[in-house]
Amino acid sequence: MKSETRCIELCKHSGKASFSANKLNLFLISFSAIYLQIALIRSLSAIYYGALTYFINSMALLGFGASGTFLAFFRKKLKRYSGNIVNFVFLYFISIFLSQFITSKLPLNLLYIFYDPSQILILSIFSLLLFLPFFFSGLIIGYILISEKNKELLYGINLLGSGAGGLFALGAMYFIDPVSMAVFALFPILAVLVLFILKRGKTGTMLFLIPLIIVTVFLTIFFPGPEPDQYKDIYQYQLLEKQGDATMISAALSPNGKIEAWSSPSGHSTLFAGLDNEISAPPQLTLFNDGNFLSQLFQIQSASEAGILDNTIQSLPYRTIDNARILLVGDSGLINAWLALRYNPESITVLLPDKSVKKFLEENLSIWTGPLLKNRKVEIIAHDFRHFFTKNKNSFDIIHFASAESLTGSMSGLYTFQEDYSLTVEAIKSAWFALSERGVLSLSRGNQIPAKDNLKILLTLYKSGERLNLSEPERHIYQMSNYLASISLFSKRESNQNLIDKFHSEADKLNLHIEHTPGDSIHYENLINSSIYDVRPSEDGRPFFNSFFRWKSLKDFYELYGPYWFRQSDLGYLILLITLILIIVLAFIFILLPHFWGKSSFQSPFLLFFPLIGFAFMFVEMVLMQKMSLFMGHSSISVSLVLSALLIFSGLGSIVIKKISFSLKIKLLIAVAAVSLMSLLLLIFSDQIIELSSMFSNITGLFMFTICSVTGFFMGWFFAPGLSLLEQKDNKSLPMAWALNGFASVAASPLAVLLSISLGFIVPVICAIILYTIAYIIFYKSLS
Amino acid sequence: MRGFIFSLFIFLLITGFGSPDLINESDIYSELRIEMVDRQIVSRGIKDEKVLNAMRSIPRHLFVPEESKQMAYEDHPVPIGFGQTISQPYIVAFMSELLNIQDGDKVLEIGTGSGYQAAVLSLLTEYVYSIEIIVELAESAEERLNSLGYDSVEIKIGDGYYGWVDMAPFDKIIVTAAAGHVPPDLIRQLKPGGMILIPIGRPFSTQYLTKIRKDKNEELSAEMILPVRFVPFVGQAEE
């Protein structure tokens, strides 16, 4: 929408255009703005928490929207075109550096946002600092577009630059540390400044050039970037490093994250060993991904050194199935592989979702992984889980979801809005088909009171059984616990007494408590309704396993915990709510409010068309971003892909629509139908799309880019005709139309995430379809 | 007139009028402390008079950074730097009461942090041993505890995972940092009949305060008590 709004802004301001084209500058600024947007998404997930995509999106849209409002008011006062451009470019340059520098110094403490009101103020300053670069880049692009001739060519260059910036950002993730990635957006801006200065040719300004280049190079090389938040797992290791108790021994970059291996005597993982365990854990490395704990890696040479693992809850399936063919899903630290090796398996396949983790283990950490990986029974493969299960022809006796091993569901709920497609009903279903007749699926997770994660896992297995048309799904499910964690087993065959006795006998040896045994009934609806948490199984249409917030329980939480009820609630959801309010306030102040004081008219009822399509566009965009990570495997890749595709093709759509000979009513009707169809198809046929994309895994990106492009192309058909119509009806309403659209786009981003978490992707998509339909009706009536 | 107001303003500024630090700081904090115990601790069911008296007497505001003094007696944890916090008053009282410390008990604390929990423990028994892995925290806590007269606390810099074998066995062990499991060494260093209180879970997530008991026959049992939120095992407790 941002490119589209920029384009339309230029259409309404067809000023004197007596200036030479700034095509290269436009390309470079568009390039840097989108690069910056993606770099910030990447960098925030490394410094703070993942899945802050919606936040950066909103700040970027806020910046672009506010720049439009600024131009609408002050354009006539901007007399010196070239001079103004240089000034704006310089301000853009400075704003990137300042926003990076100051945000890194701000004592932002998201976990204290509910205790300390000053944190709201700090979050507001933080947001404004991130907003500024987008404001200035939007200002430059908008100013060039409204002041130069040959708008369509300029608009094309704008889109090309934006798309190239998006794709470049994706590539840069392989080479640039995420925390300092944003400052590289300075280079294209520097190039613009250099071009301006060289063009002027004055010695004085030329002298200005040298320090500017030095400063930029210095910043990009030596600017360390903000330190990881003090609540990131890696922060504690960095503290230990300062006193000589930890060392970072290896690191690697990829779009999926920055992987680091740290050595410290303070790493003590034992998986989920029971209380009776008396064996100390062997020396181990700690692996992090983007500063978040990924796994431990035992520094041992043979399975005999991993005796502690016999006391873990995870050992249960290995004790009951001999000579098993084992699949370990997401065993990034290979500890489960050591465990499996102790039980004389036929084969062990370690499935990692990420090629870079595999390479890291095989190459960077070969000293420690070599002894395991040289074992002829062990194979390590890198493949997206869901694609793997779709393509897989082998069968396994034990499939263990090591990726689900966590003590608690989320880090203070801050992963609430991180989509996770490996623990959905559909994921369990697809893994089920890879089980042999005697096979079991196994998942282990930390215990909670009241029950939370493990209850959700139990219900997910039950629901998967129902979807698999098992007559009595509960007869396939076991759940047992020690003092730390529970193990849930989903057996392929229906359990008989012999099998139950076998599991119980091994469970006794581990001192496990039986939580559910085949034959116990599972009152699915009752369990969901009576829990104070949201324990509905996560599904591909609502893949938020870590989301446990439930509006209905707020009263219970308050009664139980008093004014500090939120401590036990899901902070992630509430933080999302607070940022939504903050973003709405900022968008109102910077985009809408000036228009109420200015000469803008807001009398025309047709104005409603613009916020409607603003909300609809962003609802679809956010769902596409979250849904695409199912097919692309990681959210950073999916965000870059969706953003680039939508920017390029929605803009292209708004140009092409003029050249299509149908009437406007028909064209918009086609657009409503096409967008509705594409988004619904994506949600309804996601299983088939996974199948299709796994058949052509080498071109999955291209396939997904095409889906987004087609959707974006038709979404670009609304704005331009809307503005043309409004121009005929009430010319003075144009700035207000643009502002309303911008405001809606900004607010819709977090709102879409909230709706998706609570109600599933289908709701924002249905809302988008309804909003587009209402917008169409308004358009139709206004045209009549 | 304007000159008079300006002079008055300067006078007030110089004399520190209105500043609690300069008027009578100890009185104000003492009132806050008593109010904290009544409103946050007694009202929630903590009855152990020894614990209540300890918390009424220890100047909690001296265990937090200068800029956080105003928050010291509020009903929540307070950041003390290094990604660490001083625990919410209620949780300090709750854990101290749950330990049921008797005169002469030997208590090991893992995660000294600011030293506040150790100060409370030192008023319940004279044998308090505390381990802190972050050197700066350990040194400042030791200095603070000594200067305030809680000098019976012995502090060691090191990894609490291995306990303090030279001082073992202990009657009670309190871990004030999130741990992934109960370290086997701590179990070994616990006397029969002793108790370990430990928050099990990931740092900054909701953890579960877990009570581990070792009976006279050295049989172990575990009981989840309540959800809490602590910082990592390498540091001090939060909530």
Side-chain angles (χ1 to χ4, degrees):
Chain A
M1 184 58 68
K2 32 204 172 287
S3 338
E4 188 183 327
T5 49
R6 280 183 216 139
C7 164
I8 303 313
E9 179 66 3
L10 76 90
C11 302
K12 68 187 167 62
H13 295 281
S14 52
K16 288 179 184 170
S18 58
F19 309 103
S20 62
N22 277 300
K23 298 179 188 72
L24 185 58
N25 296 334
L26 182 62
F27 177 88
L28 290 169
I29 297 296
S30 310
F31 180 98
S32 84
I34 300 307
Y35 170 85
L36 181 67
Q37 187 175 347
I38 293 170
L40 283 174
I41 288 170
R42 181 81 190 81
S43 131
L44 276 201
S45 83
I47 299 162
Y48 295 97
Y49 310 104
L52 286 173
T53 307
Y54 76 92
F55 184 70
I56 295 296
N57 268 352
S58 291
M59 286 305 111
L61 289 165
L62 182 67
F64 296 139
S67 69
T69 300
F70 181 89
L71 281 174
F73 283 92
F74 298 105
R75 184 183 159 255
K76 286 182 182 165
K77 293 183 182 168
L78 300 171
K79 303 289 182 196
R80 294 166 44 246
Y81 177 62
S82 292
N84 287 328
I85 291 278
V86 179
N87 292 339
F88 293 154
V89 172
F90 190 67
L91 286 170
Y92 179 33
F93 182 91
I94 296 292
S95 69
I96 290 181
F97 172 65
L98 283 184
S99 75
Q100 285 294 291
F101 184 74
I102 301 174
T103 51
S104 72
K105 302 289 172 202
L106 279 178
L108 180 65
N109 193 334
L110 284 175
L111 291 186
Y112 275 78
I113 206 159
F114 297 100
Y115 304 127
D116 184 359
S118 68
Q119 284 300 325
I120 303 269
L121 181 68
I122 295 172
L123 181 63
S124 308
I125 297 170
F126 186 84
S127 313
L128 282 176
L129 286 166
L130 293 178
F131 146 88
L132 278 178
F134 296 108
F135 172 77
F136 287 117
S137 61
L139 202 56
I140 301 160
I141 294 164
Y143 193 40
I144 294 175
L145 288 176
I146 61 176
S147 307
E148 300 260 350
K149 281 181 178 172
N150 202 352
K151 313 268 187 223
E152 287 185 0
L153 177 64
L154 288 174
Y155 186 48
I157 291 170
N158 170 222
L159 295 176
L160 203 63
S162 303
L167 296 175
F168 182 79
L170 190 59
M173 290 176 196
Y174 285 99
F175 308 104
I176 305 175
D177 194 295
V179 292
S180 48
M181 202 173 148
V183 287
F184 282 80
L186 291 173
F187 277 107
I189 312 168
L190 179 68
V192 174
L193 287 170
V194 169
L195 285 173
F196 269 114
I197 291 169
L198 288 177
K199 198 176 164 192
R200 288 197 170 189
K202 291 180 184 170
T203 321
T205 43
M206 297 280 261
L207 285 176
F208 179 66
L209 199 63
I210 298 161
L212 204 62
I213 293 170
I214 293 172
V215 166
T216 310
V217 173
F218 181 82
L219 281 178
T220 45
I221 295 173
F222 295 107
F223 181 64
E227 283 204 351
D229 187 75
Q230 59 177 333
Y231 298 124
K232 295 281 274 195
D233 299 325
I234 203 167
Y235 179 80
Q236 299 301 325
Y237 275 71
Q238 290 174 332
L239 276 183
L240 292 176
E241 184 188 27
K242 286 177 189 160
Q243 58 187 55
D245 289 332
T247 320
M248 202 269 282
I249 59 167
S250 193
L253 290 171
S254 87
N256 296 346
K258 182 183 178 187
I259 313 160
E260 289 173 71
W262 285 71
S263 161
S264 168
S266 296
H268 306 294
S269 173
T270 61
L271 288 186
F272 295 137
L275 203 54
D276 298 325
N277 167 57
E278 290 190 352
I279 306 169
S280 290
Q284 47 199 273
L285 299 178
T286 306
L287 307 187
F288 296 98
N289 189 9
D290 275 350
N292 301 317
F293 176 75
L294 181 65
S295 66
Q296 304 286 147
L297 187 143
F298 281 2
Q299 294 171 284
I300 54 177
Q301 299 297 315
S302 77
S304 62
E305 296 172 65
I308 189 172
L309 299 177
D310 290 349
N311 298 315
T312 61
I313 200 166
Q314 285 94 332
S315 68
L316 185 65
Y318 306 111
R319 290 163 175 269
T320 49
I321 301 176
D322 299 326
N323 296 318
R325 280 160 296 162
I326 297 161
L327 176 68
L328 300 170
V329 180
D331 185 27
S332 312
L334 305 175
I335 295 184
N336 281 283
W338 283 119
L339 166 63
L341 209 52
R342 291 180 63 82
Y343 290 86
N344 192 29
E346 188 181 313
S347 66
I348 301 170
T349 306
V350 179
L351 173 62
L352 297 175
D354 187 345
K355 280 181 190 157
S356 50
V357 175
K358 177 177 183 277
K359 194 174 163 210
F360 191 69
L361 292 174
E362 286 175 339
E363 294 176 12
N364 301 42
L365 304 179
S366 58
I367 303 171
W368 306 114
T369 56
L372 181 74
L373 299 180
K374 278 178 196 154
N375 190 308
R376 59 179 178 77
K377 290 183 177 177
V378 180
E379 179 195 21
I380 179 166
I381 52 175
H383 215 301
D384 176 71
F385 302 161
R386 300 293 296 277
H387 286 181
F388 172 83
F389 284 121
T390 309
K391 281 171 82 170
N392 171 60
K393 302 278 181 241
N394 299 323
S395 66
F396 300 94
D397 303 314
I398 297 171
I399 299 179
H400 177 64
F401 281 78
S403 54
E405 263 158 19
S406 173
L407 270 170
T408 37
S410 64
M411 202 166 79
S412 299
L414 286 169
Y415 290 142
T416 295
F417 29 92
Q418 176 75 64
E419 60 277 6
D420 179 351
Y421 288 98
S422 66
L423 281 176
T424 61
V425 169
E426 291 82 353
I428 298 293
K429 233 180 89 184
S430 65
W432 165 275
F433 291 112
L435 281 177
S436 67
E437 278 313 304
R438 60 170 186 160
V440 287
L441 288 178
S442 143
L443 298 107
S444 49
R445 192 90 169 172
N447 295 326
Q448 298 92 28
I449 41 166
K452 203 163 78 165
D453 293 39
N454 287 307
L455 180 54
K456 193 179 263 196
I457 287 176
L458 185 80
L459 296 172
T460 305
L461 296 182
Y462 181 82
K463 192 76 187 169
S464 309
E466 272 192 348
R467 297 262 177 93
L468 287 159
N469 296 321
L470 303 179
S471 59
E472 290 178 275
E474 63 268 36
R475 293 199 63 82
H476 296 253
I477 300 171
Y478 300 78
Q479 197 172 63
M480 295 156 197
S481 64
N482 66 11
Y483 83 107
L484 277 179
S486 296
I487 185 162
S488 304
L489 300 170
F490 194 25
S491 150
K492 182 86 179 235
R493 52 188 160 159
E494 195 172 292
S495 293
N496 54 37
Q497 199 52 48
N498 280 345
L499 197 60
I500 294 171
D501 289 345
K502 198 173 174 187
F503 272 104
H504 283 191
S505 147
E506 292 303 324
D508 275 350
K509 290 178 192 164
L510 288 166
N511 272 336
L512 300 185
H513 177 72
I514 310 292
E515 304 286 348
H516 176 86
T517 202
D520 293 352
S521 33
I522 293 175
H523 303 287
Y524 181 82
E525 293 298 334
N526 274 354
L527 287 169
I528 286 178
N529 293 332
S530 60
S531 174
I532 59 166
Y533 296 112
D534 179 3
V535 290
R536 289 172 296 163
S538 70
E539 302 187 32
D540 281 358
R542 195 174 42 79
F544 303 98
F545 183 88
N546 290 319
S547 170
F548 291 94
F549 181 84
R550 198 173 185 190
W551 283 104
K552 209 175 131 187
S553 302
L554 277 185
K555 193 168 155 269
D556 298 333
F557 272 110
Y558 191 80
E559 280 171 7
L560 209 58
Y561 300 109
Y564 290 105
W565 57 271
F566 51 81
R567 285 181 195 160
Q568 305 307 336
S569 184
D570 244 4
L571 286 184
Y573 195 91
L574 297 170
I575 288 172
L576 188 60
L577 206 60
I578 287 181
T579 47
L580 170 68
I581 295 165
L582 181 71
I583 284 165
I584 288 176
V585 170
L586 290 175
F588 181 77
I589 293 171
F590 288 106
I591 301 178
L592 275 186
L593 199 59
H595 290 275
F596 291 110
W597 286 331
K599 291 173 185 170
S600 304
S601 160
F602 41 91
Q603 304 299 321
S604 170
F606 183 62
L607 273 175
L608 188 60
F609 176 85
F610 297 94
L612 289 176
I613 61 167
F615 271 112
F617 189 104
M618 284 313 295
F619 280 172
V620 174
E621 179 176 320
M622 290 309 294
V623 169
L624 282 178
M625 282 179 179
Q626 292 181 301
K627 190 71 192 180
M628 280 295 159
S629 62
L630 169 63
F631 311 117
M632 300 304 300
H634 197 273
S635 57
S636 290
I637 301 173
S638 109
V639 166
S640 310
L641 186 131
V642 172
L643 205 58
S644 303
L646 290 190
L647 275 172
I648 295 171
F649 284 88
S650 66
L652 204 64
S654 68
I655 294 173
V656 168
I657 187 174
K658 292 175 198 161
K659 303 186 176 167
I660 298 173
S661 54
F662 294 126
S663 73
L664 267 177
K665 285 177 186 173
I666 299 289
K667 283 194 273 192
L668 256 65
L669 191 61
I670 291 172
V672 173
V675 174
S676 308
L677 193 69
M678 288 303 292
S679 13
L680 285 175
L681 283 179
L682 190 69
L683 293 188
I684 295 168
F685 294 105
S686 63
D687 281 352
Q688 288 74 8
I689 295 174
I690 293 178
E691 235 168 89
L692 206 60
S693 62
S694 61
M695 279 164 61
F696 306 102
S697 54
N698 292 334
I699 52 163
T700 303
L702 189 66
F703 184 51
M704 297 306 146
F705 191 81
T706 310
I707 292 178
C708 296
S709 304
V710 175
T711 315
F713 179 77
F714 287 107
M715 290 202 294
W717 280 23
F718 294 91
F719 202 78
L723 273 189
S724 303
L725 185 60
L726 187 66
E727 198 167 18
Q728 292 164 24
K729 287 180 167 292
D730 180 9
N731 193 31
K732 284 186 177 171
S733 294
L734 283 173
M736 183 50 105
W738 201 44
L740 282 169
N741 183 264
F743 174 80
S745 306
V746 173
S749 195
L751 189 59
V753 181
L754 272 175
L755 286 173
S756 299
I757 290 173
S758 298
L759 305 164
F761 294 139
I762 192 74
V763 170
V765 164
I766 297 283
C767 286
I769 294 171
I770 293 170
L771 292 170
Y772 271 133
T773 309
I774 299 172
Y776 173 74
I777 295 167
I778 292 173
F779 186 89
Y780 187 93
K781 289 199 169 174
S782 299
L783 206 62
S784 306
Chain B
M1 184 63 182
R2 239 192 281 174
F4 170 73
I5 293 171
F6 179 71
S7 308
L8 183 66
F9 173 70
I10 294 296
F11 171 75
L12 293 175
L13 206 66
I14 291 168
T15 54
F17 182 81
S19 157
D21 286 354
L22 296 175
I23 293 178
N24 198 340
E25 187 183 89
S26 63
D27 281 357
I28 288 174
Y29 286 122
S30 166
E31 275 175 34
L32 285 174
R33 204 152 51 237
I34 287 165
E35 197 179 305
M36 169 191 87
V37 173
D38 289 345
R39 285 197 178 175
Q40 300 170 33
I41 299 173
V42 176
S43 68
R44 287 178 178 145
I46 304 294
K47 293 189 178 78
D48 188 330
E49 272 305 319
K50 282 196 294 182
V51 172
L52 296 175
N53 286 336
M55 296 196 63
R56 280 186 191 115
S57 69
I58 298 170
R60 185 174 156 92
H61 61 283
L62 299 180
F63 288 81
V64 300
E66 190 62 32
E67 66 274 14
S68 306
K69 264 185 169 182
Q70 305 302 324
M71 289 199 283
Y73 294 97
E74 289 175 10
D75 191 15
H76 57 76
V78 180
I80 57 167
F82 303 99
Q84 316 296 318
T85 55
I86 179 171
S87 301
Q88 177 196 6
Y90 169 67
I91 291 294
V92 175
F94 180 81
M95 289 176 78
S96 303
E97 184 180 66
L98 201 61
L99 280 172
N100 189 24
I101 294 170
Q102 305 298 316
D103 262 352
D105 272 359
K106 212 188 231 187
V107 180
L108 173 67
E109 182 199 26
I110 309 294
T112 317
S114 69
Y116 181 70
Q117 175 75 68
V120 173
L121 295 172
S122 76
L123 297 184
L124 306 177
T125 177
E126 56 188 302
Y127 306 104
V128 179
Y129 303 88
S130 188
I131 305 177
E132 172 58 57
I133 197 168
I134 305 291
V135 177
E136 281 182 64
L137 279 177
E139 287 173 352
S140 65
E142 185 159 36
E143 198 183 312
R144 186 178 299 117
L145 288 167
N146 286 337
S147 69
L148 292 171
Y150 306 105
D151 42 15
S152 63
V153 179
E154 281 197 46
I155 293 180
K156 179 175 109 166
I157 297 169
D159 188 349
Y161 187 82
Y162 302 105
W164 196 333
V165 75
D166 295 341
M167 298 300 168
F170 299 98
D171 297 283
K172 311 281 159 59
I173 297 176
I174 174 172
V175 181
T176 51
H181 59 276
V182 184
D185 283 316
L186 295 191
I187 293 176
R188 277 193 280 273
Q189 290 171 28
L190 185 68
K191 280 184 189 171
M195 179 203 301
I196 299 177
L197 273 186
I198 183 167
I200 300 281
R202 284 189 64 193
F204 314 118
S205 301
T206 298
Q207 303 109 27
Y208 296 89
L209 186 62
T210 305
K211 184 163 82 174
I212 310 291
R213 301 214 65 133
K214 190 193 244 183
D215 68 17
K216 301 286 178 199
N217 301 320
E218 306 215 0
E219 288 288 318
L220 296 166
S221 61
E223 183 191 353
M224 274 184 168
I225 306 291
L226 86 166
V228 287
R229 195 169 287 160
F230 280 79
V231 293
F233 192 71
V234 292
Q236 163 70 334
E238 188 206 293
E239 178 178 314

